[in-house]
Amino acid sequence: MKGQRVAVVGVGYSTIGRSTGLSLDDLAVEASIAAMADAGLKPTDIDGVATHCFPHQLVRPTRVADLLGIPDLGWYSGNFDGAAYVVAAHHGIAAVASGSCHTCLTIRSVHRMGASGGTRAWPADGIAGVDQFLVPYGDTTAAHWAAMYMQRHMHEFGTTPEQFGEFVIAQRDYAAANPDAIHRTPLTMDDYLSSRMIARPLHVLDCDYPVDAGSALIFTTEERARDMVHKPVFFESWAAGTTDVLDFHLLESMPQSSPWRAAQRMWSKTDLGPDDVNIAGLYDGFSFIAMQWMEALGFCGLGESGPFVEAGHTRPGGRLPTNTDGGACNVGRRHGANFFIEVTRQLRGECGDRQIPGASVGVVSNSVGGFAGCALMINE
Amino acid sequence: MPQTMLDGRVARHELRPAPDHLTAFFWEAALRHELAIQKCDGCGYFNHWPVPRCKKCWSTALSPTKVSGQATVYTFAVATQAFHPWFESRLPFVVAVIELAEQSGLKLVSNVIGCPVDDVHCGMAVEVTFEDVEEGFTLPMFRPAATRGLGQ
């Protein structure tokens, strides 16, 4: 039993940029106001808030409600564990489906320098916790494990740098048609292959683009959604997944990490299958992650994402138009929320030059490695 | 083994581990040039990284146990950008996930040294070696396994 049917009725972003000068709370509030405007809702219409943040960047749902003038929350969740925005989404969906609240704001705020990575100051008294087994070896950023996932995929399945590059180039072409994207200049394969190598085989163009960003979506019940501004987009199924070994380096299989568990679980709770999907928003914190999701979700076989991408299947008219906003590599790191927002807009049919004709069933995903989550969205 | 940085200063390794009650044995063994992994007295399972209870049987009777150091490269990356000055003079270097021979799936993260970075490959046979970084700080690393040829 999935409880009540849950719809997305509002989506919105904050001001987004490399250095906005906005606090994490500001970003959350701006995005929430945009989502409420999109849905035509007032603060008194909201009775639930779910946030997801980095542990050191907590945005409290009660604080956001206070700043927005939401008078009373019947349910809220502030979370820092797991797979980024999809965690807030899953919490919000579950809360509405169960009747814990009727209309839930779900929020992801991120600051440019918030994610792991980049040059940072290290504590003078040594590296504690699990990092003590990584950092002394120069494994200091997510880019290092990402490169290792790519290398293992290349080893097991013969995936080529050009195939990763084709994914990057194809989603840049979508960004060119998205006025809100940050990177819009089309790329050539030579641009990709000659871009700065961070840790071979991972290029800088395989990485999402760090920005300050707030993203918000509003979920409500089907009954309420029917009376709102937009044609509702419904969650047909959703699921998380984790791995026996949590650590992203040490888990059993890099090519078959948590997305495989989440995808299997998501499909087990719906009569729909991969053949029904005609649009996708697959997390591209690093390019290979989106490609792992293509395999995990069953759009191609294990190890076949390289040829799948190379055949143009993620492009317009392909088997699975993917990341039609340009992905986080091009719209900036919004930690998963942009996939939910873009697929919602595609399923509403409001994407202009980049609209995929007939988009009716979409899949969205977030994260890789030790924890991941996904959802299936449908416009009727 | 202090490293000379690009600006000529000699950097002490700032990226030392801060051992705790669970991990101290690992670094103490490294000082003796031994690779030790936590092994469960109850069921024999190796746990890495160290845990307070065995993940298989929940026993708290866990003993640091010297392992052979024989291993294979599960995967690797060739770091070409330094995110701390210490690593500038080491570029390019190999960060790898190493699978130890003692137990299927028993992995740790280390560097592969002692060969050109282009020689490293998934499935490569390696063995533990030790780099004495500075006083009181030794890192277990891995190098190509000694060839076991005709003379065995």
Side-chain angles (χ1 to χ4, degrees):
Chain A
M1 289 298 292
K2 288 187 254 184
Q4 297 191 68
R5 220 174 166 208
V6 180
V8 183
V9 292
V11 300
Y13 289 122
S14 68
T15 303
I16 289 177
R18 289 288 271 180
S19 297
T20 59
L22 296 171
S23 72
L24 290 160
D25 284 349
D26 291 337
L27 294 166
V29 165
E30 278 197 10
S32 299
I33 290 171
M36 289 163 69
D38 181 53
L41 294 178
K42 308 181 297 296
T44 48
D45 297 320
I46 307 285
D47 70 339
V49 176
T51 61
H52 189 279
C53 320
F54 289 118
H56 56 289
Q57 295 191 342
L58 187 60
V59 173
R60 295 165 56 207
T62 52
R63 171 70 173 160
V64 173
D66 182 48
L67 291 170
L68 286 168
I70 295 171
D72 183 16
L73 290 179
W75 178 94
Y76 53 91
S77 160
N79 203 295
F80 57 82
D81 197 8
Y85 170 73
V86 73
V87 175
H90 284 166
H91 284 208
I93 296 166
V96 173
S98 68
S100 300
C101 62
H102 58 69
T103 304
C104 187
L105 192 49
T106 66
I107 302 167
R108 182 78 176 94
S109 282
V110 61
H111 265 164
R112 175 166 68 98
M113 295 308 290
S116 74
T119 304
R120 49 180 164 166
W122 300 97
D125 52 353
I127 309 297
V130 296
D131 276 352
Q132 71 187 278
F133 295 109
L134 301 173
V135 171
Y137 294 103
D139 190 329
T140 53
T141 78
H144 293 103
W145 58 250
M148 289 192 265
Y149 276 69
M150 293 169 74
Q151 185 69 53
R152 184 68 193 183
H153 203 275
M154 293 165 74
H155 168 71
E156 287 192 32
F157 308 111
T159 313
T160 65
E162 289 79 6
Q163 289 168 338
F164 292 114
E166 176 52 31
F167 173 77
V168 170
I169 292 165
Q171 68 171 8
R172 176 64 67 88
D173 286 346
Y174 282 119
N178 177 7
D180 295 330
I182 295 169
H183 297 300
R184 300 187 62 194
T185 308
L187 293 170
T188 64
M189 186 60 75
D190 193 51
D191 292 333
Y192 172 77
L193 293 174
S194 63
S195 71
R196 177 161 52 92
M197 192 77 84
I198 295 174
R200 200 162 74 220
L202 180 132
H203 293 265
V204 68
L205 288 175
D206 289 305
C207 308
D208 64 3
Y209 187 66
V211 291
D212 297 348
S215 309
L217 292 89
I218 299 172
F219 306 157
T220 194
T221 60
E222 177 170 15
E223 183 184 3
R224 286 173 181 264
R226 295 288 180 202
D227 296 332
M228 291 189 192
V229 180
H230 295 287
K231 183 179 168 188
V233 169
F234 296 99
F235 286 108
E236 165 66 19
S237 185
W238 59 92
T242 64
T243 48
D244 305 39
V245 176
L246 174 64
D247 180 75
F248 280 41
H249 300 84
L250 306 186
L251 43 67
E252 181 181 358
S253 170
M254 285 183 169
Q256 289 181 276
S257 67
S258 55
W260 287 75
R261 306 243 173 120
Q264 190 277 334
R265 185 170 286 127
M266 183 189 82
W267 291 127
S268 76
K269 295 193 284 188
T270 174
D271 294 331
L272 299 182
D275 289 346
D276 297 304
V277 174
N278 44 34
I279 181 112
L282 305 180
Y283 182 67
D284 64 332
F286 299 102
S287 58
F288 86 89
I289 301 177
M291 293 169 69
Q292 180 161 151
W293 277 105
M294 292 170 203
E295 300 176 15
L297 288 161
F299 297 111
C300 59
L302 172 62
E304 295 174 355
S305 59
F308 183 81
V309 166
E310 205 164 41
H313 287 310
T314 65
R315 290 180 173 276
R319 167 72 195 82
L320 187 72
T322 301
N323 297 355
T324 54
D325 61 345
C329 293
N330 298 311
V331 302
R333 177 194 293 146
R334 303 174 192 196
H335 256 137
N338 60 296
F339 306 106
F340 286 72
I341 290 178
E342 175 69 4
V343 169
T344 296
R345 288 173 168 170
Q346 285 280 351
L347 296 181
R348 289 177 180 173
E350 61 185 34
C351 284
D353 290 346
R354 66 181 193 279
Q355 179 64 43
I356 301 301
S360 58
V361 180
V363 67
V364 289
S365 72
N366 208 171
S367 194
V368 74
F371 39 67
C374 53
L376 190 64
M377 303 170 78
I378 184 167
N379 64 5
E380 192 37 65
Chain B
M1 200 187 305
Q3 297 285 304
T4 303
M5 290 163 57
L6 295 184
D7 64 1
R9 283 187 302 128
V10 175
R12 206 168 162 276
H13 197 309
E14 294 173 315
L15 305 178
R16 293 174 67 121
D20 55 43
H21 70 287
L22 284 176
T23 67
F25 78 86
F26 183 91
W27 301 112
E28 288 162 7
L31 287 176
R32 302 190 303 271
H33 287 201
E34 292 179 1
L35 181 63
I37 302 291
Q38 191 186 51
K39 187 178 186 183
C40 177
D41 296 345
C43 71
Y45 189 75
F46 285 98
N47 291 279
H48 188 75
W49 298 314
V51 289
R53 285 181 185 270
C54 176
K55 289 177 63 169
K56 291 297 175 193
C57 73
W58 300 346
S59 170
T60 55
L62 303 164
S63 300
T65 302
K66 184 182 174 186
V67 295
S68 67
Q70 300 299 313
T72 55
V73 174
Y74 174 75
T75 189
F76 68 100
V78 180
T80 48
Q81 179 175 341
F83 291 86
H84 183 280
W86 166 260
F87 298 105
E88 286 171 3
S89 64
R90 304 177 76 102
L91 293 174
F93 64 92
V94 173
V95 179
V97 175
I98 303 291
E99 185 166 2
L100 299 176
E102 273 70 15
Q103 175 178 293
S104 175
L106 178 61
K107 294 171 183 167
L108 49 73
V109 171
S110 189
N111 299 131
V112 177
I113 60 173
C115 65
V117 295
D118 289 339
D119 287 359
V120 178
H121 55 273
C122 296
M124 180 182 191
V126 291
E127 63 188 13
V128 74
T129 183
F130 295 89
E131 181 170 318
D132 296 318
V133 180
E134 61 185 28
E135 182 68 29
F137 175 30
T138 294
L139 282 172
M141 293 187 179
F142 288 79
R143 65 187 178 201
T147 307
R148 294 183 195 83
L150 294 176
Q152 293 298 305

